[in-house]
Amino acid sequence: MLKFLLYYVTFHTIGRLPLPFLYALMGATAWLAYQLAPGARRNIYENLRHVMPEASEGRKRSAAKRILRNVALYYADVAHLPRMDINDFFQRRLVYHGMEEHVRPALERGRGVILLSAHYGNPELAVQGLIPAGIRVFALTEPVHPRLSRLMDEFRGSKGHSFGPVNVGNVKRVIQTLKKGGVVALMGDRDIQGPKDEFLFFGVPALMPTGPIEVALRTGATVIPAFSFRRQKFGIEVFLEEPLGVERSGDFAADVRSAMLQYIERLERRLREDPGQWAVLEKIWDGEEGVRGHKSEVRSQKSEVAVRE
């Protein structure tokens, strides 16, 4: 209850601030977090050790500080969203690549589109730019306390999109949206809930979520990797990439793995391009023992997905 009240008051307060002042305030907050949150700092450095193994300590330190700033600005963007002029954002702050080449042709096929993104730049802010383009999206979010999830999703959906935490009901809604030819936005870079499997990620085993690919195989939806970058002070640049080759061969597990390897290759390329954009505070690599310890959970979650379908 106390955490919910803190978020409620904070969001309704800082969201009223002018964006330049809000960004400056959250940038200072990120600097303090770097100094006072050693656990998050260690996790970030552990992740960067895999992403940029040959970088100097100075470059890693710079990337780590930018990651914390990116996380802080994410919350600033959510708080500011209800008061944001969406058309001004679309015209002055946002640049899209691949909308006409990849997204609209996929929509015309009528089988639904999965925008498979990552905690990189600010994908939730980037997706808001689809509203002036006439595209509505249903997006799954990380589940937290129910009241807090509702608060966050109300802010996220204030311009017309729909957001909901990962649960059985919302997974069904994802499938229904795709079968109607709609668009859903999902994350593919961090193990939160749902089916997962072990893959080499920057050459080291890590558990990666396979749910988006499994849904695509079951529905026939097109999977378009989508990555956003923060540019200068307030800009967002979005790359809607060529669709993944999600094909049905009759071997479901092999088909999932094939598409996942394609996505991981795209994700690795983006992370190498600018590691400081990766807004992840949790360890991605838990070591071999952690991966083995999740094997039974992985199998049970795959069975659960099959039952849901």
Side-chain angles (χ1 to χ4, degrees):
M1 182 64 178
L2 182 60
K3 185 176 182 179
F4 168 76
L5 289 175
L6 178 62
Y7 270 80
Y8 183 90
V9 172
T10 301
F11 271 53
H12 282 278
T13 301
I14 68 173
R16 299 177 184 275
L17 298 174
L19 194 60
F21 182 78
L22 177 57
Y23 268 32
L25 174 64
M26 298 307 285
T29 302
W31 182 87
L32 284 174
Y34 183 84
Q35 308 300 322
L36 302 177
R41 191 170 65 239
R42 282 194 299 270
N43 290 347
I44 291 172
Y45 272 97
E46 176 64 20
N47 291 339
L48 290 176
R49 184 174 67 85
H50 295 280
V51 177
M52 44 195 310
E54 298 181 1
S56 67
E57 287 303 309
R59 285 186 59 205
K60 290 177 183 175
R61 183 166 56 250
S62 176
K65 290 179 177 179
R66 290 181 60 228
I67 286 171
L68 278 168
R69 183 176 185 274
N70 199 14
V71 172
L73 293 187
Y74 162 78
Y75 285 104
D77 289 332
V78 173
H80 181 72
L81 189 57
R83 294 170 179 81
M84 184 177 73
D85 184 329
I86 193 68
N87 291 307
D88 180 73
F89 170 70
F90 181 77
Q91 294 169 7
R92 298 178 56 187
R93 296 174 54 196
L94 182 67
V95 176
Y96 263 120
H97 304 278
M99 174 75 74
E100 303 302 324
E101 298 91 334
H102 304 308
V103 176
R104 294 203 186 278
L107 285 172
E108 290 173 1
R109 288 192 283 273
R111 294 185 178 180
V113 173
I114 295 174
L115 298 178
L116 185 54
S117 192
H119 297 81
Y120 191 79
N122 189 338
E124 290 182 11
L125 186 59
V127 81
Q128 301 294 334
L130 295 174
I131 294 173
I135 298 173
R136 291 293 188 271
V137 170
F138 176 58
L140 288 182
T141 59
E142 182 175 358
V144 289
H145 185 279
R147 295 184 67 181
L148 185 54
S149 277
R150 285 195 296 271
L151 174 67
M152 293 283 288
D153 289 341
E154 285 175 6
F155 273 74
R156 291 162 170 149
S158 59
K159 296 303 178 183
H161 289 320
S162 297
F163 292 79
V166 178
N167 57 40
V168 173
N170 282 330
V171 169
K172 290 180 178 179
R173 184 175 175 184
V174 163
I175 294 170
Q176 292 167 356
T177 300
L178 294 172
K179 287 183 176 180
K180 293 177 182 178
V183 180
V184 300
L186 306 174
M187 295 292 193
D189 62 331
R190 186 156 69 84
D191 167 26
I192 299 174
Q193 285 188 2
K196 63 198 77 172
D197 207 344
E198 177 186 343
F199 295 89
L200 289 181
F201 187 30
F202 287 96
V204 179
L207 287 172
M208 304 290 284
T210 59
I213 300 300
E214 295 187 20
V215 168
L217 283 165
R218 297 183 187 282
T219 62
T222 300
V223 181
I224 296 179
F227 299 100
S228 66
F229 291 74
R230 291 190 183 275
R231 299 302 193 198
Q232 299 179 344
K233 288 186 177 180
F234 309 112
I236 296 287
E237 186 173 17
V238 185
F239 293 86
L240 303 166
E241 298 189 349
E242 182 179 353
L244 298 180
V246 182
E247 300 180 356
R248 299 181 183 182
S249 69
D251 186 335
F252 187 78
D255 295 340
V256 169
R257 194 159 193 85
S258 174
M260 280 295 301
L261 291 174
Q262 296 174 54
Y263 172 72
I264 289 171
E265 188 276 330
R266 308 269 190 105
L267 176 60
E268 288 178 343
R269 175 165 49 85
R270 292 299 182 183
L271 292 182
R272 288 191 182 99
E273 187 175 348
D274 192 347
Q277 299 268 356
W278 199 22
V280 171
L281 301 182
E282 299 79 13
K283 283 186 180 180
I284 298 298
W285 293 267
D286 289 330
E288 293 183 4
E289 290 184 4
V291 171
R292 287 196 298 268
H294 283 79
K295 287 296 188 179
S296 60
E297 181 185 353
V298 170
R299 288 191 290 269
S300 66
Q301 286 172 328
K302 287 184 175 182
S303 300
E304 182 182 352
V305 169
V307 170
R308 288 176 191 169
E309 298 297 329

